[in-house]
Amino acid sequence: MNHLDKLEAQSVHILREAYREFKSLVMLWSIGKDSTVLLWLARKAFFGHMPFPLMHVDTHYKLPAMITYRDRLALEFKLDLIVGENTAALAAKETFPDGKLSRIDCCRKLKSEALKHTLSGEWPRLRIDHATGTLVPDPSREAFTGVIVGARADEEGSRSKERYFSPRDKQNDWDVGDQPPELWNQYKTDFAPGTHVRVHPLLDWTELNIWEYIHRENIPIIDLYFNHGDGKRYRSLGCYPCTGPVESEARTVAEIIAELRTGKFANIAERSGRAQDKEDGGGLETLRREGYM
Amino acid sequence: MPAIIPNPEPSADSRSQMSIVIVGHVDHGKSTIIGRLLAETGSLPSGKLEQVREMCRRNARPFEYAFLLDALKDEQAQGITIDTARCFFKTEKRHYILIDAPGHIEFLKNMITGAARAEAVLLTIDAHEGIQENTRRHGYMVSMLGIRQISVLVNKMDLVDYDQAVFERIKAEYTAFLKNLQIEPVSFIPISGMEGTNMVARGAATPWYSGPTVLEQIDAFAPKAAPVNFPFRLPVQDIYKFTEQNDDRRIVGGTIETGTIRAGDNVTFYPSRKKSRVKTIEYFNGPEKTTAAAGEAPGFTLHTQIYIKPGELMVRDDETPPHIGSRFRVNLFWMGHAPMIRGKTYKLKLGAARVPVKLAEVLNVLDASELSSVQNKQQVDRHDVAECVLEAAKPVAFDVAGEIERTGRLVIVDNHEIAGAGIILAPISDEDSTLKEHIRQREAMWRPSAITRELRINAYRHGAKFIVLTGESAAAGERVAAALENLLFRGNFKAYYLGISNVTSGLDADRAAVTEIDSEQIRRIGELARIMTDAGLIFITSLPGIDEHDLRTLELLNQPHEILVVNLGENRFTGYTPHLSLAADATPEAAAAGALQLLKQKEVILEYYL
């Protein structure tokens, strides 16, 4: 087995543990490369099927191509897609682009809070209807207790301390100092009522591994990651007011891999194009403790 | 399923990856060693070294490599250094993840988490301070975790003037210690993280040392080979059916712990002992597979539809079978805040199996730092290593860690947390299980009624019996049980049907929501049956989905009276024959009549009374 085979097998094992142990399980899908690889790994684990829903938090400031790609893939792979949002903040224009909030407070409103309340079922959700291909109001108010997330340890500081199965308490808090032990393929799959567990099957993958795997498996990836002739591409995707492209000539997956292998970005953070990180002192830990993914 | 042909790997970076953990007593120089390694392998972000030197100059402090790591960690961890931190560096040979395990005892579970991921260990000892408590404890943990490659770095040699005698003394003492743990270290290296001696470049200060430098040693560590040369072991994570998506495959999924398998192999699932043959090896979006080996996580379809459960162990018939049992002697390491005590029920996770477990006996508690034993301890405290006997509520399949390490490991969950981890030393016969001992004691204390069994039979016109209806459908079992109670009552027999929900909301009210029949509920129903049959009744209950072990437990608990098992539908038991098997679609009346017939055959109901 080569390194990618080992990473794949480990992620598959973790996904199957999560599916076995959590009655109400959901996978977060940001439309980006990591969570799309995660989606692919779930299809590996379950032999072509995706046996739990995918959730996307729509800030309404996503690059429009992301939404088109999301809906296309959801229909093609027959995904049970759930979409949530912070309707109140959007209606009151309490956002950074509307000039009322800092970038980080905007993230807090449109992402962290929207996610928290969509997961708990308190806020209304939309769910894809495969018969019509549209999003319709979801009558289910099910609270999810297992949340699968595509975080990687090498991505930025606070994520290097995560466990594969990481508990969050009733307030969504993450106690970084007192995390459960993990050994011998045994994880924290027992949890007290009211708490939930975040599952991180991609923890040991690097940015390069992700692209190598996308190439090997031919995973359909959104083309915002490629240079379309202007010498720029996105390395990390988010909301357009806060996400900038990097200088790059890479037009294909193979070219991205070659580019990463040159070490061109070795000393530049992957999320350097994400302006909100800088407001949080570069570490994202404040946001992550509050539930940011 | 449309096949998507994977791409060949693009001209791959041939360098492999290895995880190494650095452990040792607090302040024995781990940070300095890591800082030095990162700097000398050019693995630091550009400008970082200069920045830290400048900071030291401004604060009039001598530069130390440890500050470098602290500076990195501050960025990486925002000042929280108690968790394992991962650093990345590479050599010409391969990529490394260097896991910095905390040295303080309070963070032992973090040390365990970090070390469990590693293939090799660098263990530091301060030449000046010598072997300390955690030097021994960490050595012990590393041996329990199953990591066999240890290089011992005798650090701070500059503080003892590079005295070879100091190095040799520590080497002799620690070699002897590790020998007790069946570990032979691959090397002892005299170093100075501070001065860089024998880190990357060979040091002039140790002309008497001819072994590898730290970096040479790191490159010389052998990658951990996948355990393919062992019997095949696959803990079954689940049995997948996606029939609603028009996929009629029934796939057994899991990660292969050891060995190899090919399509066509005959296999047995333990502990149920169900047998079948591998039809296909399933793997999504890849070339067709006919073999699979340790480390892979494929799926299997079988030639026959057998009823197996998640948690069983899949084994090849032509290889050594695992042990099956509920009692075993283990070496257990305890991390829980509350001690492990006798009488309390914990959750055992062994491979994919999850069963309730109790601490049956503490044989010996080891002080891991001294390797001296403490006798007569009745509980296992935080940070203790104990040799003890565990008793699971149900038999599980396992191996002895000395034979097949990966299936001889277990963890114990207490109050939702992994609180203990252990390796199995030996199986123990079930003969003197707690259950049998309990029944012996119960029967010794049982107050026999002045109304004898015979008197009751004469008065009631029938013997006492415990009738268990089982099968896949809960609804069908309940209908038959109710029909049988009705039929017997109309015939003037003393029969009582106990619906399981009456137990759940009554006797079980002291327990957290019981959603499916578990071993504690089986125990309670078995004890109830003992009382009801003692009262001379025909006691009926319906327990869908229970297995042969549950039935044997009920049989034991109901002693001295007998049990009658009526199975509805497919017979899912191996090594247990129900007294009566009825078709799943039998009407309740017909099924009840069949059961009545059986009671007559067994002379529970005597013909002349009918």
Side-chain angles (χ1 to χ4, degrees):
Chain A
M1 290 172 85
N2 64 28
H3 189 58
L4 281 185
D5 294 331
K6 287 181 193 166
L7 287 171
E8 177 191 84
Q10 186 196 33
S11 301
V12 161
H13 183 86
I14 291 168
L15 285 164
R16 288 179 183 159
E17 282 295 282
Y19 181 58
R20 176 181 174 190
E21 299 281 355
F22 295 98
K23 293 279 174 279
S24 48
L25 185 65
V26 71
M27 180 184 279
L28 296 190
W29 188 27
S30 73
I31 327 298
K33 62 188 191 313
D34 300 323
S35 55
T36 304
V37 163
L38 194 56
L39 160 62
W40 191 264
L41 286 164
R43 300 178 82 216
K44 278 272 178 195
F46 306 108
F47 311 99
H49 303 280
M50 180 67 201
F52 37 79
L54 278 167
M55 184 182 284
H56 179 237
V57 173
D58 193 351
T59 61
H60 291 240
Y61 288 103
K62 295 290 174 195
L63 297 157
M66 291 170 71
I67 303 300
T68 316
Y69 165 86
R70 176 193 78 187
D71 294 344
R72 180 175 67 77
L73 215 63
L75 291 173
E76 192 180 316
F77 286 176
K78 298 201 169 36
L79 305 174
D80 181 11
L81 176 70
I82 296 174
V83 176
E85 60 177 36
N86 189 340
T87 315
L90 287 166
K93 298 200 177 296
E94 284 180 52
T95 71
F96 167 73
D98 288 308
K100 290 198 189 164
L101 295 179
S102 67
R103 291 181 199 271
I104 205 147
D105 284 331
C106 183
C107 269
R108 199 169 271 147
K109 282 269 182 220
L110 298 189
K111 291 160 109 181
S112 306
E113 279 187 26
L115 175 66
K116 183 176 163 184
H117 297 288
T118 309
L119 283 175
S120 69
E122 294 160 89
W123 288 2
R125 304 193 276 227
L126 298 171
R127 207 156 187 151
I128 200 158
D129 176 356
H130 282 275
T132 61
T134 53
L135 291 165
V136 295
D138 179 16
S140 162
R141 286 293 170 107
E142 177 186 20
F144 294 104
T145 51
V147 185
I148 305 173
V149 190
R152 302 188 338 260
D154 80 323
E155 201 174 357
E156 45 78 29
S158 67
R159 297 184 183 186
S160 76
K161 288 174 292 163
E162 284 281 12
R163 295 288 193 262
Y164 300 116
F165 285 69
S166 178
R168 297 291 195 274
D169 69 12
K170 284 180 183 156
Q171 282 71 48
N172 253 11
D173 281 345
W174 178 34
D175 187 348
V176 190
D178 188 24
Q179 300 201 67
E182 286 184 339
L183 68 163
W184 302 335
N185 267 351
Q186 299 291 2
Y187 310 104
K188 181 180 169 65
T189 50
D190 299 84
F191 58 100
T195 61
H196 73 273
V197 173
R198 295 217 180 146
V199 184
H200 302 120
L202 295 183
L203 210 55
D204 290 343
W205 294 60
T206 63
E207 184 184 8
L208 178 59
N209 297 150
I210 291 286
W211 284 110
E212 287 171 334
Y213 192 68
I214 288 168
H215 187 267
R216 182 180 102 172
E217 297 285 325
N218 248 329
I219 302 172
I221 208 80
I222 186 163
D223 69 357
L224 290 169
Y225 284 109
F226 307 121
N227 159 37
H228 294 282
D230 56 355
K232 288 183 184 352
R233 69 175 189 88
Y234 286 96
R235 194 172 162 210
S236 174
L237 295 180
C239 300
Y240 56 80
C242 298
T243 307
V246 294
E247 304 280 323
S248 167
E249 292 303 321
R251 290 161 186 267
T252 62
V253 177
E255 285 174 20
I256 290 177
I257 293 170
E259 180 180 70
L260 289 172
R261 284 195 181 136
T262 62
K264 174 178 169 183
F265 295 123
N267 295 322
I268 304 166
E270 184 177 344
R271 292 174 56 95
S272 59
R274 308 287 288 274
Q276 71 270 33
D277 293 25
K278 296 182 183 93
E279 280 186 12
D280 195 20
L284 269 194
E285 188 150 319
T286 331
L287 272 179
R288 282 179 69 68
R289 281 186 207 230
E290 292 169 3
Y292 185 85
M293 303 277 176
Chain B
M1 198 96 357
I4 307 162
I5 305 303
N7 277 323
E9 317 235 344
S11 60
D13 188 340
S14 58
R15 283 183 290 192
S16 54
Q17 193 185 56
M18 179 181 270
S19 293
I20 294 176
V21 68
I22 179 160
V23 301
H25 197 74
V26 65
D27 289 335
H28 279 200
K30 293 193 299 290
S31 300
T32 308
I33 292 168
I34 295 174
R36 179 66 82 162
L37 272 177
L38 295 180
E40 299 205 359
T41 53
S43 309
L44 292 168
S46 53
K48 183 52 68 181
L49 192 61
E50 293 70 23
Q51 186 192 330
V52 175
R53 280 190 198 281
E54 174 60 20
M55 181 199 79
C56 290
R57 195 191 55 79
R58 269 188 280 123
N59 296 314
R61 294 171 71 179
F63 169 80
E64 282 188 29
Y65 279 94
F67 297 155
L68 194 57
L69 193 68
D70 290 342
L72 281 175
K73 271 194 189 160
D74 277 345
E75 266 170 27
Q76 212 186 27
Q78 305 217 334
I80 299 158
T81 53
I82 52 175
D83 203 58
T84 48
R86 287 184 256 196
C87 307
F88 299 85
F89 76 98
K90 58 190 173 192
T91 64
E92 283 301 308
K93 190 170 175 185
R94 51 189 171 212
H95 294 267
Y96 291 98
I97 299 175
L98 191 58
I99 303 161
D100 180 16
H104 197 284
I105 179 94
E106 276 305 301
F107 308 125
L108 209 52
K109 68 177 182 177
N110 297 336
M111 178 264 166
I112 297 274
T113 304
R117 291 177 185 173
E119 294 171 72
V121 179
L122 298 175
L123 187 143
T124 59
I125 301 178
D126 182 328
H128 191 60
E129 275 195 34
I131 293 164
Q132 297 293 313
E133 185 185 335
N134 279 334
T135 319
R136 294 198 189 85
R137 194 186 302 271
H138 285 181
Y140 197 93
M141 293 307 143
V142 160
S143 101
M144 247 182 77
L145 288 169
I147 312 168
R148 295 285 170 262
Q149 294 191 88
I150 301 184
S151 172
V152 182
L153 311 182
V154 181
N155 190 24
K156 306 194 191 181
M157 284 300 291
D158 52 313
L159 298 185
V160 296
D161 300 325
Y162 293 98
D163 184 350
Q164 186 181 3
V166 173
F167 174 75
E168 295 297 341
R169 195 168 59 239
I170 290 173
K171 180 177 174 179
E173 193 185 333
Y174 204 62
T175 302
F177 173 82
L178 290 178
K179 201 173 172 199
N180 278 329
L181 307 172
Q182 278 91 47
I183 291 181
E184 201 180 320
V186 293
S187 59
F188 277 82
I189 310 177
I191 64 163
S192 165
M194 197 69 81
E195 298 185 347
T197 312
N198 295 331
M199 290 291 304
V200 172
R202 195 159 296 280
T206 53
W208 43 268
Y209 175 75
S210 58
T213 63
V214 175
L215 199 63
E216 283 166 357
Q217 178 58 66
I218 287 175
D219 270 346
F221 282 134
K224 197 168 183 180
V228 288
N229 295 321
F230 284 90
F232 174 81
R233 297 288 189 258
L234 178 109
V236 176
Q237 274 181 295
D238 227 329
I239 294 95
Y240 303 100
K241 283 169 288 185
F242 300 104
T243 37
E244 72 278 14
Q245 280 133 34
N246 294 323
D247 183 347
D248 58 4
R249 293 174 298 174
R250 193 163 176 273
I251 307 174
V252 177
T255 302
I256 305 173
E257 289 284 8
T258 53
T260 58
I261 193 157
R262 57 180 65 236
D265 279 348
N266 288 310
V267 292
T268 301
F269 294 84
Y270 293 93
S272 76
R273 297 176 203 271
K274 299 259 169 36
K275 288 180 178 292
S276 192
R277 195 152 66 87
V278 175
K279 191 173 169 190
T280 59
I281 296 174
E282 300 286 330
Y283 177 75
F284 172 70
N285 192 44
E288 196 173 321
K289 283 172 93 79
T290 51
T291 62
E296 295 177 41
F300 302 91
T301 64
L302 303 172
H303 275 285
T304 46
Q305 295 292 309
I306 53 171
Y307 182 84
I308 49 169
K309 291 180 180 173
E312 299 213 47
L313 191 65
M314 180 175 165
V315 173
R316 261 167 61 181
D317 282 359
D318 58 349
E319 292 181 328
T320 321
H323 296 280
I324 313 294
S326 53
R327 284 162 66 84
F328 25 84
R329 191 158 55 83
V330 301
N331 238 347
L332 189 76
F333 164 63
W334 196 250
M335 294 168 270
H337 289 278
M340 188 184 200
I341 52 171
R342 292 172 66 169
K344 183 173 173 184
T345 301
Y346 299 89
K347 177 172 171 179
L348 171 74
K349 293 172 88 172
L350 196 169
R354 284 106 174 82
V355 284
V357 69
K358 284 182 177 171
L359 174 64
E361 204 178 338
V362 182
L363 301 170
N364 183 5
V365 175
L366 197 72
D367 182 330
S369 61
E370 300 296 331
L371 283 195
S372 60
S373 53
V374 186
Q375 305 287 341
N376 300 323
K377 229 181 136 169
Q378 289 306 303
Q379 63 179 36
V380 187
D381 290 313
R382 190 166 194 221
H383 300 150
D384 275 352
V385 176
E387 189 180 328
C388 48
V389 176
L390 297 181
E391 184 171 314
K394 283 185 175 207
V396 286
F398 61 90
D399 289 290
V400 168
E403 289 162 7
I404 307 178
E405 190 172 50
R406 299 184 69 98
T407 37
R409 294 165 166 173
L410 52 87
V411 297
I412 307 281
V413 177
D414 180 21
N415 191 25
H416 312 297
E417 301 288 342
I418 293 180
I423 53 175
I424 300 180
L425 304 173
I428 293 180
S429 116
D430 286 347
E431 274 313 297
D432 2 280
S433 71
T434 336
L435 178 63
K436 285 183 181 160
E437 181 52 31
H438 161 74
I439 289 163
R440 266 194 294 276
Q441 283 183 14
R442 183 191 70 186
E443 292 307 307
M445 301 296 289
W446 198 271
R447 197 186 69 84
S449 170
I451 315 298
T452 63
R453 187 196 281 218
E454 289 66 34
L455 284 171
R456 282 187 208 274
I457 291 175
N458 278 327
Y460 299 164
R461 306 177 304 122
H462 62 80
K465 206 74 175 179
F466 176 27
I467 301 179
V468 176
L469 287 143
T470 186
E472 263 185 87
S473 161
E478 283 169 20
R479 280 195 298 269
V480 173
L484 179 59
E485 182 191 39
N486 188 47
L487 186 66
L488 290 167
F489 183 80
R490 304 277 163 220
N492 278 328
F493 301 111
K494 307 273 184 283
Y496 178 71
Y497 160 44
L498 173 72
I500 208 69
S501 58
N502 300 1
V503 180
T504 317
S505 50
L507 263 183
D508 280 346
D510 59 323
R511 308 183 61 207
V514 181
T515 50
E516 50 189 61
I517 300 167
D518 63 6
S519 55
E520 175 57 18
Q521 204 168 39
I522 291 286
R523 186 189 75 78
R524 291 175 183 214
I525 291 167
E527 295 287 3
L528 259 181
R530 169 69 178 95
I531 295 167
M532 300 297 252
T533 47
D534 195 46
L537 302 183
I538 298 173
F539 178 54
I540 307 162
T541 190
S542 168
L543 301 170
I546 62 171
D547 62 23
E548 49 271 21
H549 176 76
D550 296 325
L551 287 171
R552 289 205 187 88
T553 305
L554 289 170
E555 216 167 64
L556 281 171
L557 284 167
N558 186 51
Q559 281 175 0
H561 288 276
E562 285 171 354
I563 194 170
L564 269 188
V565 177
V566 179
N567 183 58
L568 303 170
E570 182 199 357
N571 180 8
R572 297 162 300 116
F573 305 109
T574 22
Y576 194 99
T577 314
H579 301 88
L580 181 65
S581 273
L582 297 166
D585 56 358
T587 64
E589 291 70 28
L596 180 66
Q597 197 57 39
L598 182 70
L599 289 171
K600 287 182 204 162
Q601 277 169 19
K602 296 273 177 189
E603 298 186 344
V604 176
I605 291 172
L606 305 170
E607 285 292 348
Y608 52 83
Y609 282 129
L610 282 170

